[in-house]
Amino acid sequence: MSGTFVWFEYVSKDIAKAQGFFGELFNWGVKRVPMPGGEYAMISVGERTIGGYQVTPPGAPPEAHWLTHLEVSDARASSKQIESLGGKTLKPAFAVGDFGTMAIVVDPHGGSFALWQPTKSDARPTPVDGTFCWNELASKNPAASVEFYAKVGGYTTSAMDMGEMGTYHVLESGGQPRAGVMKQMMPGQSHAWLPYVQVANADATADKARKLGATVVVPPTDIPNVGRFSVLVDPQGCALGILKP
């Protein structure tokens, strides 16, 4: 469904290390599928595939990062729209086998993400433990980011007062919350999308991540009426959120 973040790709120079870490932390499996030009390693949770691992391609940021994929009805048209709104196209729309069409773009403040136009659009299954459940943008300019993504994703928006954390903006489509936008909270924090994985116990998962070599940058914390969350930085320096709803 357009306006939904449907795929999360871990991009790094050492995907074997990432597969080992996340396999231990979330019990993620790897499903290898043939693709044009080689093989692609998908992240699997049971029978469900939720993302993939990609070796850092030429021209991409050298640091490990998550590339989130936003489903759109027309990747080429959305790329042009993003350029008209002050963003950039890093990689113009291209076919990914028979699966769909993809483009890599950057929002006006430097946050990269992918556009995904699937050949066949499927309904998103309900999140379960070990799958992605949320996507959050730490923005340099939340108001401008909300305006930009509302146009690109066709979202309506609502706002929640988070006290010291400021206003939390929720992007909604099809009557469902799809992602959040908030101001950057930590010094040096990059303007980037932060995916969240649903877990059965945020405290136990954060503790396990620490033992596996990660850094817990936001300790497990309760959010009223939402759940308990934490933010980790993995051994390759890439941030990821966890959430116990």
Side-chain angles (χ1 to χ4, degrees):
M1 178 179 178
S2 294
T4 306
F5 288 92
V6 293
W7 196 252
F8 297 84
E9 194 170 72
Y10 189 91
V11 184
S12 84
K13 296 178 180 178
D14 192 343
I15 62 173
K17 184 175 182 179
Q19 289 166 2
F21 173 80
F22 292 115
E24 286 285 335
L25 185 61
F26 299 128
N27 198 31
W28 282 353
V30 177
K31 180 180 179 182
R32 302 185 187 280
V33 294
M35 297 287 278
E39 195 177 58
Y40 184 67
M42 292 185 176
I43 300 168
S44 64
V45 178
E47 296 299 312
R48 189 186 301 188
T49 51
I50 61 171
Y53 296 101
Q54 176 69 49
V55 176
T56 306
E63 63 274 4
H65 61 279
W66 285 102
L67 181 66
T68 66
H69 291 54
L70 175 66
E71 183 172 327
V72 295
S73 58
D74 187 326
R76 290 177 176 84
S78 291
S79 294
K80 296 297 183 185
Q81 180 191 25
I82 284 165
E83 291 171 4
S84 74
L85 294 172
K88 297 178 182 177
T89 299
L90 294 184
K91 189 168 185 178
F94 61 98
V96 182
D98 298 326
F99 299 99
T101 302
M102 176 180 173
I104 301 177
V105 295
V106 178
D107 72 24
H109 295 99
S112 61
F113 62 106
L115 301 172
W116 178 244
Q117 176 192 337
T119 302
K120 179 184 177 183
S121 182
D122 296 315
R124 293 286 290 165
T126 302
V128 297
D129 292 347
T131 66
F132 292 101
C133 62
W134 192 242
N135 203 19
E136 184 177 272
L137 179 68
S139 175
K140 298 176 182 176
N141 186 332
S145 292
V146 168
E147 183 178 359
F148 171 82
Y149 283 99
K151 291 176 180 176
V152 172
Y155 300 116
T156 57
T157 64
S158 61
M160 300 189 307
D161 183 0
M162 300 290 283
E164 293 181 1
M165 297 171 65
T167 301
Y168 194 91
H169 304 271
V170 179
L171 306 178
E172 302 164 337
S173 67
Q176 297 294 321
R178 302 298 181 186
V181 178
M182 64 182 296
K183 69 177 181 180
Q184 294 171 338
M185 299 297 295
M186 294 177 282
Q189 187 175 9
S190 59
H191 177 95
W193 284 100
L194 178 73
Y196 279 77
V197 175
Q198 182 172 311
V199 296
N201 186 312
D203 295 76
T205 303
D207 187 55
K208 186 176 184 181
R210 191 183 290 109
K211 291 175 180 175
L212 292 170
T215 302
V216 178
V217 293
V218 179
T221 305
D222 288 324
I223 307 174
N225 303 316
V226 174
R228 191 164 174 83
F229 86 106
S230 179
V231 179
L232 323 168
V233 173
D234 72 21
Q236 296 191 64
C238 182
L240 179 68
I242 58 172
L243 175 69
K244 162 61 179 174

